[in-house]
Amino acid sequence: GAGYNVNVPWPKGGAGDAEYVAAFEAVVMPIASEFDPDLVLVSAGFDAADGDPLGGCRVSPECFHWMTAALLRLAAGRLVLALEG
């Protein structure tokens, strides 16, 4: 709903680990921490993965791990990841 969504825009393709970590540290985690959720649900796709032809990004498996570990610090670790598609 209005006021409850945060979008982090990217230029078409090319974003990698550094950009994703920066967005997580500067935008996603501060907002999520302030919100203080009871549960975190992630509808995950992998278009951002390095080598995926759709997304054109360069996010490594290590960065996906780092983002997941960051999310586990929320909601006392209550995290649900669901793969899209």
Side-chain angles (χ1 to χ4, degrees), residues 54-79:
L54 295 177
C57 293
R58 303 174 325 275
V59 179
S60 70
E62 293 79 14
C63 188
F64 281 110
H65 174 269
W66 182 89
M67 291 186 285
T68 302
L71 292 173
L72 281 167
R73 293 193 302 267
L74 301 168
R78 291 182 296 272
L79 172 65

Side-chain angles (χ1 to χ4, degrees), residues 1-83:
Y4 292 95
N5 296 311
V6 176
N7 293 306
V8 179
W10 299 118
K12 176 79 171 121
D17 292 356
E19 293 83 5
Y20 272 74
V21 168
F24 244 70
E25 289 179 335
V27 179
V28 176
M29 291 305 294
I31 292 170
S33 295
E34 184 177 330
F35 182 72
D36 192 25
D38 294 321
L39 175 68
V40 177
L41 302 170
V42 177
S43 179
F46 288 95
D47 292 359
D50 189 23
D52 185 280
L54 295 177
C57 293
R58 303 174 325 275
V59 179
S60 70
E62 293 79 14
C63 188
F64 281 110
H65 174 269
W66 182 89
M67 291 186 285
T68 302
L71 292 173
L72 281 167
R73 293 193 302 267
L74 301 168
R78 291 182 296 272
L79 172 65
V80 177
L81 301 171
L83 182 59

